[in-house]
Amino acid sequence: MFLDRVKISVSGGHGGNGVTAFRREKFVPRGGPSGGDGARGGDVFIEATESLNTLLHLRYNPEHEAERGRHGEGSNRSGKEGGDIVVRVPVGTLIYDAETGDVLADLTQDGERFLAAKGGRGGFGNSHFTSSTNRAPRYHQQGSPGEERELQLELKLIADVGLVGYPNAGKSTLISVISAARPKIADYPFTTLEPNLGVVDIGDFRTIVVADIPGLIEGAHEGAGLGDRFLRHVERTKLLLHLVDVSSASGRETVDDYEKINRELAAYSAELAERPQIIVATKMDALDDETRLESLRERAMQDGREFYQISAVTGNGVRELVAGFAQALNEMKDVTINLQSDEENARRDVVSYEAHYASHAAYDEGHGNHHKIEDDDVGGAT
Ligand SMILES: Nc1nc2c(ncn2[C@@H]2O[C@H](COP(=O)(O)OP(=O)(O)OP(=O)(O)O)[C@@H](O)[C@H]2O)c(=O)[nH]1
Ligand SMILES: [Mg+2]
């Protein structure tokens, strides 16, 4: 499970003080009390919004204090209320009290609000205390401080875009150049053993979450390679980037790779196979046979899928690709995605680590690849 966590402090605005004042009027020797009340301080709200998908923006901005209330004034004028502030978080954010660990709120709807810190009360001015026995009180109240809290926010990240493709296609390399994620990259298959998430900054405070998962091979749905169970991490994505290595170093045909991966997607779920897909030709800097690129491009066109060509190493085409998938996501704002049942997911998770290392080793043997499984690969996988 991917979690985005951030601790913030919130404080309501201080309440304004009341004042002690007396009227001074011409021909009225001793005017009555006229000190106005202080105003309440502003509240801090936390509000869920669909237009954010990470808590990243709060990491650099962890302190949130609402405006203080103004003090009262003479002539019975009350102060001005402190303005509230609204801290925006993505839908799906859980709010904990950082000290006790208690769950305070679970914001699941767009626009849902939680009162995180109440502003302080304003103090009364002296005119408030006038009574029959004390016609000229010389005291007023101080405003009370706003509530202060440390909160832990937690969001289960849901990727917008999933990277799929053969092992070694360059998935991890791509996520490492478009996001701050630093997964392990190496020139042998199955470098990635656990999914990685990267948050891609596309400007205007908008971000896209991309999931990099272990490579698929033919027969993945029957458990070949690392199998297809990691596909559940891209199941809720709206868009797949299908990466195909166009250099001949892969030792396979590009169109063949493309078709085989699509068959594995279909074997996993018909729905995932129908998910919008952008085809990405990778390792353009190492392209040695133009037909490998052109045949793939034609095939993508036949399937009505957008086609990009990149080199993650030189950076060529990467910016265009990011703009392309950002645009594609933008155009499909409200796609609804059906999830597989929990039972189905549970079943896929049953595969043990031993089993997946065994199939890993079997793949290596079959392909004359001698990547040894070192102890430190286990579990520490990125
Ligand atoms: N020449 C060249 N090599 C690249 C490029 N992108 C990735 N590579 C290399 O290809 C190899 C595999 O890259 P990875 O990013 O680990 O591939 P992956 O798809 O994540 O592989 P798995 O995790 O095994 O599924 C590494 O040696 C990379 O340096 C590229 O644009 N050009
Ligand atoms: Mg990888």
Side-chain angles (χ1 to χ4, degrees):
M1 182 170 308
F2 306 106
L3 289 178
D4 197 7
R5 280 202 185 91
V6 64
K7 202 182 220 178
I8 64 171
S9 64
V10 287
S11 29
H14 206 295
N17 300 336
V19 291
T20 294
F22 293 94
R23 274 194 300 277
R24 290 160 141 274
E25 283 167 43
K26 261 185 185 166
F27 315 117
V28 182
R30 294 181 64 199
S34 68
D37 300 337
R40 69 165 192 99
D43 299 334
V44 180
F45 291 94
I46 297 180
E47 183 178 291
T49 169
E50 269 167 1
S51 60
L52 286 169
N53 57 7
T54 74
L55 295 169
L56 212 61
H57 62 295
L58 296 175
R59 191 149 295 159
Y60 307 105
N61 184 21
E63 283 168 20
H64 301 271
E65 185 174 353
E67 200 186 3
R68 62 167 302 140
R70 295 302 151 116
H71 301 317
E73 290 174 36
S75 312
N76 287 320
R77 280 200 299 268
S78 299
K80 185 172 165 294
E81 288 190 357
D84 297 338
I85 59 170
V86 179
V87 177
R88 288 162 31 105
V89 298
V91 172
T93 299
L94 272 168
I95 303 172
Y96 296 89
D97 183 311
E99 273 152 44
T100 64
D102 293 342
V103 177
L104 304 175
D106 178 4
L107 303 179
T108 57
Q109 308 273 328
D110 190 44
E112 199 175 336
R113 272 190 172 193
F114 168 67
L115 175 56
K118 227 181 140 27
R121 253 188 331 95
F124 291 126
N126 68 332
S127 59
H128 186 89
F129 299 104
T130 314
S131 66
S132 54
T133 53
N134 188 351
R135 290 169 181 278
R138 302 195 150 268
Y139 48 83
H140 58 257
Q141 253 180 348
Q142 301 288 98
S144 59
E147 199 180 355
E148 279 182 37
R149 278 213 277 210
E150 295 280 312
L151 302 175
Q152 175 85 45
L153 308 186
E154 198 175 278
L155 173 70
K156 189 175 156 197
L157 281 185
I158 296 172
D160 304 298
V161 174
L163 303 184
V164 295
Y166 262 85
N168 247 353
K171 300 178 296 298
S172 301
T173 309
L174 176 62
I175 208 170
S176 77
V177 300
I178 61 178
S179 77
R182 291 291 170 262
K184 184 164 157 188
I185 291 167
D187 65 351
Y188 50 76
F190 304 118
T191 310
T192 302
L193 301 174
E194 289 287 337
N196 305 297
L197 279 204
V199 178
V200 182
D201 185 347
I202 56 164
D204 284 342
F205 298 102
R206 291 186 52 221
T207 50
I208 292 176
V209 180
V210 178
D212 167 31
I213 61 167
L216 297 167
I217 57 170
E218 189 174 16
H221 70 283
E222 293 163 330
L226 297 186
D228 65 359
R229 68 196 169 283
F230 294 106
L231 282 175
R232 70 190 168 82
H233 292 283
V234 298
E235 232 177 326
R236 295 171 73 167
T237 63
K238 305 180 188 89
L239 174 69
L240 298 177
L241 298 189
H242 184 158
L243 275 61
V244 183
D245 180 353
V246 293
S247 77
S248 43
S250 79
R252 299 179 307 263
E253 287 306 318
T254 52
V255 174
D256 206 37
D257 277 9
Y258 168 76
E259 286 172 349
K260 284 189 173 135
I261 295 297
N262 277 321
R263 274 204 289 277
E264 294 305 323
L265 295 178
Y268 178 85
S269 121
E271 222 240 320
L272 194 60
E274 294 296 307
R275 192 70 38 86
Q277 229 182 70
I278 289 180
I279 315 309
V280 185
T282 63
K283 310 195 190 179
M284 281 296 293
D285 58 289
L287 179 69
D288 42 11
D289 174 358
E290 198 71 29
T291 60
R292 294 176 54 83
L293 174 68
E294 291 314 320
S295 56
L296 181 65
R297 185 201 309 279
E298 267 169 38
R299 188 52 213 268
M301 279 174 61
Q302 270 173 27
D303 289 353
R305 288 174 164 154
E306 276 185 70
F307 184 80
Y308 286 85
Q309 48 198 64
I310 64 164
S311 164
V313 167
T314 66
N316 264 342
V318 172
R319 190 196 299 254
E320 290 79 357
L321 172 63
V322 172
F325 69 66
Q327 169 88 16
L329 282 179
N330 222 2
E331 284 168 6
M332 53 173 147
K333 266 260 148 63
D334 17 59
V335 276
T336 50
I337 293 163
N338 299 319
L339 300 178
Q340 300 231 314
S341 67
D342 284 347
E343 290 90 325
E344 182 76 349
N345 284 332
R347 185 180 66 75
R348 291 180 198 279
D349 251 344
V350 170
V351 184
S352 69
Y353 261 90
E354 283 81 352
H356 98 225
Y357 283 111
S359 54
H360 184 159
Y363 174 86
D364 284 352
E365 266 173 40
H367 291 73
N369 190 301
H370 301 295
H371 160 225
K372 278 217 220 59
I373 298 163
E374 311 285 354
D375 273 343
D376 64 0
D377 278 2
V378 180
T382 42

